[in-house]
Amino acid sequence: MRVLLIGFRGQLGSDLRLAFEGEQLALAGREHVLVQDAAQVDAIVDAVRPQLILNTSAFHVVDECEVHPDAAFAVNLFGVGNLARAARRVNATLVHFSTDYVFDSPRRTPYVETDAPCPKCVYGASKAAGELLLAALWEKHFIFRVSGLYGYAGSREKGTNFVEMMIERARQGQPLHVVHDQRTTPTSTRDAAAAVRQVASTEAWGLYHLTCAGECSWYEFACAIFELTGMKADITPVDSSAFPTKARRPQYSVLDNQRLRNEGFDDLPHWRESLARYIAGRAAAGKI
């Protein structure tokens, strides 16, 4: 199968590259294609003639989205439209990734795929709009909503991920203040990529939630990191108000992989199990 992977250097892209080893894999970064440029999208799709397109590109620096909404919508909405039209033209399946930030309401129970998006920040709004445009333009698509991603490649924008940031700051002896009033589900990019490979090999197109099982606050996640690494840390739970930001973050954005189970696919493991595997991998690589 000919596969075009857009955004292969990022956390998720790096693990998708591993998950799709053995396929005819064409790799594209920002130097090859900017999805907001329709001509560039058409050129690379015409050159590769993929049967499957994996799109991990996104404008996802959440606070920057508030400052530059036009740039956020250019990538997260119009870029998705460019890819959808190109995929339709060559009859390729398009895999696109969205976010738990499309939800931000007072509820405190996990969201399923049939719940209506209710974003309260530009990033979430731009991603929700991209979902709708893709669904309207091309039937052969998968949209995977993910949350709290961490992977061995780290985040290109931040240069790290939450796990590595906590470990490094604890190693330096820095006091840590971590929010306890935002609940989500941390998700390993390796687990997410494996699930994408399984689902994308079928024609069960549409929208899926794709996160590890369970839920926790960022403070609980940090405590689990130190428990599993055996590190001592000076860590204090704080309210979100301790960290004023331009963009509002959801207080509760836990996703339930209901459709994944209903379609008969393997569900993802509990977030603590995935974290333990990630920490063990770091230890095996001599990083602890």
Side-chain angles (χ1 to χ4, degrees):
M1 178 170 57
R2 292 185 305 280
V3 180
L4 172 60
L5 171 55
I6 299 173
F8 70 97
R9 293 191 184 93
Q11 294 190 105
L12 181 56
S14 296
D15 279 321
L16 286 169
R17 182 178 182 179
L18 293 173
F20 282 85
E21 276 186 341
E23 304 294 346
Q24 300 175 51
L25 196 56
L27 305 176
R30 292 172 184 166
E31 70 275 27
H32 304 110
V33 59
L34 297 175
V35 297
Q36 61 268 39
D37 187 319
Q40 290 187 25
V41 170
D42 287 342
I44 197 166
V45 169
D46 287 342
V48 176
R49 304 297 292 187
Q51 297 160 289
L52 178 68
I53 301 171
L54 304 170
N55 174 44
T56 71
S57 64
F59 194 118
H60 55 66
V61 182
V62 179
D63 290 328
E64 286 298 304
C65 289
E66 299 293 316
V67 180
H68 304 290
D70 290 348
F73 276 88
V75 176
N76 298 339
L77 171 60
F78 297 112
V80 178
N82 293 335
L83 286 165
R85 284 185 288 269
R88 184 177 63 192
R89 182 164 49 80
V90 299
N91 196 34
T93 298
L94 176 58
V95 172
H96 176 63
F97 295 91
S98 190
T99 174
D100 57 321
Y101 275 42
V102 302
F103 296 113
D104 189 356
S105 76
R107 71 184 282 174
R108 288 298 181 269
T109 55
Y111 294 93
V112 297
E113 290 87 349
T114 52
D115 288 322
C118 48
K120 298 294 192 299
C121 65
V122 171
Y123 171 62
S126 67
K127 295 297 284 184
E131 293 179 7
L132 289 171
L133 184 60
L134 173 52
L137 287 175
W138 184 222
E139 176 189 16
K140 294 174 65 173
H141 72 269
F142 294 98
I143 298 169
F144 294 106
R145 288 179 182 149
V146 294
S147 72
L149 292 180
Y150 62 94
Y152 290 95
S155 166
R156 291 191 71 196
E157 283 75 15
K158 300 174 184 176
T160 185
N161 62 45
F162 184 82
V163 180
E164 300 300 332
M165 180 173 62
M166 290 294 103
I167 290 173
E168 183 57 28
R169 291 185 180 179
R171 183 178 286 126
Q172 294 174 2
Q174 297 182 22
L176 299 168
H177 297 85
V178 183
V179 295
H180 71 93
D181 57 351
Q182 295 175 16
R183 297 190 70 78
T184 186
T185 303
T187 300
S188 160
T189 54
R190 189 150 297 180
D191 290 329
V196 169
R197 176 63 190 265
Q198 181 187 30
V199 179
S201 64
T202 74
E203 294 184 354
W205 301 310
L207 172 66
Y208 291 82
H209 288 173
L210 195 67
T211 71
C212 284
E215 63 179 78
C216 63
S217 68
W218 290 102
Y219 171 75
E220 290 167 338
F221 186 34
C223 289
I225 292 167
F226 299 129
E227 174 190 334
L228 290 167
T229 57
M231 299 181 72
K232 301 294 184 183
D234 178 7
I235 182 170
T236 303
V238 296
D239 291 341
S240 302
S241 58
F243 299 104
T245 58
K246 294 183 178 71
R248 167 171 166 163
R249 269 70 171 173
Q251 294 294 291
Y252 188 93
S253 59
V254 178
L255 305 180
D256 182 347
N257 302 343
Q258 184 181 81
R259 185 168 180 221
L260 194 72
R261 296 189 302 273
N262 289 348
E263 293 287 347
F265 297 113
D266 296 333
D267 208 349
L268 274 65
H270 193 275
W271 67 267
R272 286 187 63 95
E273 179 184 338
S274 291
L275 177 62
R277 191 181 309 116
Y278 178 88
I279 296 297
R282 293 181 83 262
K287 294 184 178 181
I288 294 180

